[in-house]
Structures are given as structure tokens and as C-alpha cells.
């Protein structure tokens, strides 16, 4: 279990000092916990013995073991397919059936990773037409960002998918206004350029960042107003995006059905002006 999960599990049983420590750790997770114990004590106005008691309460033998655990989490967030294959669990029996069973487990895990309350908050933000929505993903995960933006554009206006070329990003940055949403998809082997862009968008334009990431948390999570930390580990060399895709489709369906008359009208208008180059059937 991650340190973050341990803190959340014990949240109702923490003392005032422990709540202060947990807040500091979660605000700059996991890096705050990697500071020397004296520096963490000074930053939180607590004491090294208080920190030692806190990490013991979290289930660690001491502060060193606590830090080793955090370092392990950071390493998990940088594992490549080569490293994942070396520790993957072999698939036995019929490959397709076994693989899809693993994918189903990833999807089921997504229901536990995101609460209904958070799901509704994110749905409302993405549906709010007073906000523009800007969407971007990483090298591989941008396929999910494109899926979200293409469908969301059929529900509402002012949805923009950012291209992968960072040289174009300033154009979109200058369009952003306070309270607009920057939706970022960033899974392990996190993309530093996305983190820098998120910081600039928050500091210069006062946007709100909604981050879809994994259990090891992209560095962007420190600045995000909402973090959707979905499972991606299928026990193979490839991270599985099935849970993330299912969550995105749930958000899109929720927004469309909650605003059906608007959605229906926009799809009809969209279809009335779209170009037809001889296709006989459409995907949607």
C-alpha cells in the first residue's frame, strides 16, 4: 500500500499534529517525505519524535523505512516496458481470455479509485459552458486525450485538444482564462514538458487542472485541483489504459445524458454541416 493510501486510510484517527504532517506530505507528495527529518519538522512546526511516531502509526519501522518506501514508489513511476516485462506474471491457458480477464480487473479497479462524489465534480466542471476545456496527454496517453476531446466537442463548444508540439502551446496558453479547465493525461514515465506547461497555465492564467494519472502519481498532481488516479498495471509489459478509457466514457455519457437536449441539438447541427466524402456509414 502506498504512503498516500495509508494516510488516507487513517485520516479519521489522526491527531492535530499528525493532520498537519499528513497535509504537508500530501501537498508535495512524495517529495516532502524525502526531506531530512529535521527539515520536515521545521517546515511543519513539529518535532522529529512526532514525525517518528507518525510514520510508525503508518506501519513503518522508522523514518528510513518510510523514505525507502517513497523512493520505491518513485521508481515504480518510471518503470519502462522492458522493466515491466522482467517482472510480469505469465499468462496461462487461453491467452485472449486470460488477458481480457486482467483488463476487466483493471476496469473494476477504476471504480474503487474514483469516488462517486469526485466523478460528479469532474463531470460538472467538464459540462460547465462558462469554462473552456483544454485537453492534452503524453506520448502514448494522448490517444485518451483525443478520445475525450473528440466526443466532448460533440456535446459542447469551446473544447480544444492541444497538439504534441510544445512550440504551439503558447497560442493555447494565451487563450486560457481564469477557471478554465486544463485536462491532462499523464501516466508513468511522466512527461516533464506537461508538468512545466501545467505550472505555467496555473500561475499565468489561473486555470484549474484536472489530472488523469496512475497510482504512482504524476508530478502534476501537486498542482491539480482534481486527480483521477486510475489503475494501469495488468501484470504484463504494457500498462493497460482500459480503466482510464472506461472512466472517460463514463464521464462523457454522464455529461451527454445530463444535458441531453443541448447535446442532441449540437450533434444534429454538427451532422448538418459536416463534410461527406462519400462515406456510407459513420462511426458515431
Amino acid at each position: 500500500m502506498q504512503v498516500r493510501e495509508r494516510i488516507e486510510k487513517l485520516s479519521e484517527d489522526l491527531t492535530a499534529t499528525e493532520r498537519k504532517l499528513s497535509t504537508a506530505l500530501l501537498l508535495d507528495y512524495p517529495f516532502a517525505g524525502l526531506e531530512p527529518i529535521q527539515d520536515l519538522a521545521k517546515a511543519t512546526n513539529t518535532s522529529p519524535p512526532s514525525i517518528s511516531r507518525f510514520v510508525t502509526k503508518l506501519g513503518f519501522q522508522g523514518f528510513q523505512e518510510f523514505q525507502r518506501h517513497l523512493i520505491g514508489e518513485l521508481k515504480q513511476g518510471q518503470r519502462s516496458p522492458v522493466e515491466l516485462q522482467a517482472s510480469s506474471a505469465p499468462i496461462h491457458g487461453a491467452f485472449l481470455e486470460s488477458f481480457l480477464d486482467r483488463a476487466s480487473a483493471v476496469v473494476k479497479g477504476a471504480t474503487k479509485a474514483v469516488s462517486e462524489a469526485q466523478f460528479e465534480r469532474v463531470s460538472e466542471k467538464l459540462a460547465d459552458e462558462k469554462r473552456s476545456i483544454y485537453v492534452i496527454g503524453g506520448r502514448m496517453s494522448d490517444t485518451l486525450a483525443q478520445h475525450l476531446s473528440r466526443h466532448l466537442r460533440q456535446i459542447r463548444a469551446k473544447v480544444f485538444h492541444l497538439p504534441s508540439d510544445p512550440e504551439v502551446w503558447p497560442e493555447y496558453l494565451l487563450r486560457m482564462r481564469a477557471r478554465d479547465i486544463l485536462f491532462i493525461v499523464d501516466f508513468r514515465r511522466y512527461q516533464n514538458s506537461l508538468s512545466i506547461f501545467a505550472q505555467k497555465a496555473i500561475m499565468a492564467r489561473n486555470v484549474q487542472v484536472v489530472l488523469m494519472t496512475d497510482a504512482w502519481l504524476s508530478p502534476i498532481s501537486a498542482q491539480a485541483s482534481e486527480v483521477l488516479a486510475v489503475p494501469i498495471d495488468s501484470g504484463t509489459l504494457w500498462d493497460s489504459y482500459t480503466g482510464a478509457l472506461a472512466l472517460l466514457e463514463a464521464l462523457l455519457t454522464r455529461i451527454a445524458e445530463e444535458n441531453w437536449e443541448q447535446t442532441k441539438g449540437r450533434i444534429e447541427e454538427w451532422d448538418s454541416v459536416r463534410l461527406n466524402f462519400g462515406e456510407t456509414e459513420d462511426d458515431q
Side-chain angles (χ1 to χ4, degrees), residues 96-117:
L96 179 60
E97 181 180 358
S98 298
F99 183 88
L100 292 180
D101 283 343
R102 294 189 186 199
S104 296
V106 172
V107 173
K108 189 173 183 180
T111 64
K112 299 177 181 178
V114 179
S115 68
E116 283 291 334

Side-chain angles (χ1 to χ4, degrees), residues 25-77:
L25 290 170
L26 294 176
L27 280 175
D28 189 20
Y29 185 88
F31 305 103
L34 297 175
E35 297 287 342
I37 192 170
Q38 293 84 359
D39 292 353
L40 181 58
K42 184 177 180 180
T44 56
N45 196 27
T46 57
S47 66
S50 295
I51 296 173
S52 296
R53 288 191 293 271
F54 177 59
V55 298
T56 299
K57 192 170 185 176
L58 294 178
F60 299 103
Q61 295 299 315
F63 193 69
Q64 287 186 339
E65 183 185 352
F66 167 77
Q67 289 193 319
R68 283 197 298 270
H69 195 93
L70 288 175
I71 291 170
E73 290 183 19
L74 281 172
K75 289 180 178 178
Q76 283 288 336

Side-chain angles (χ1 to χ4, degrees), residues 9 12-13 36 38 42 58 71 75-76 100 110 119-120 174 186 201 231 236 258 267 279:
K9 188 175 181 180
E12 295 183 1
D13 299 320
Q38 293 84 359
K42 184 177 180 180
L58 294 178
I71 291 170
K75 289 180 178 178
Q76 283 288 336
L100 292 180
F119 177 80
E120 292 296 337
L174 292 172
D186 191 29
T236 72
E258 188 71 12
I267 292 174
E279 296 94 335

Side-chain angles (χ1 to χ4, degrees), residues 165-232:
D165 183 3
E167 292 296 322
V168 186
W169 294 353
E171 175 189 344
Y172 292 87
L173 192 64
L174 292 172
R175 293 183 191 176
M176 295 178 183
R177 297 293 180 265
R179 298 184 70 253
D180 283 351
I181 300 296
L182 175 57
F183 193 107
I184 300 178
V185 186
D186 191 29
F187 294 126
R188 64 175 158 192
R189 304 186 82 186
Y190 311 114
Q191 200 160 315
N192 188 52
S193 58
L194 292 180
S195 181
I196 295 171
F197 182 70
Q199 292 176 26
K200 285 184 177 293
I202 293 169
M203 296 298 294
R205 314 305 291 179
N206 196 27
V207 304
Q208 294 186 16
V209 171
V210 176
L211 171 68
M212 173 172 278
T213 186
D214 50 51
W216 302 281
L217 296 181
S218 160
I220 299 169
S221 63
Q223 291 108 23
S225 59
E226 296 284 353
V227 178
L228 305 169
V230 297
I232 61 171

Side-chain angles (χ1 to χ4, degrees), residues 6-24:
R6 297 185 189 210
I7 292 173
E8 292 170 351
K9 188 175 181 180
L10 293 173
S11 60
E12 295 183 1
D13 299 320
L14 297 179
T15 66
T17 298
E18 291 167 345
R19 284 197 295 273
K20 187 188 298 184
L21 283 167
S22 66
T23 299

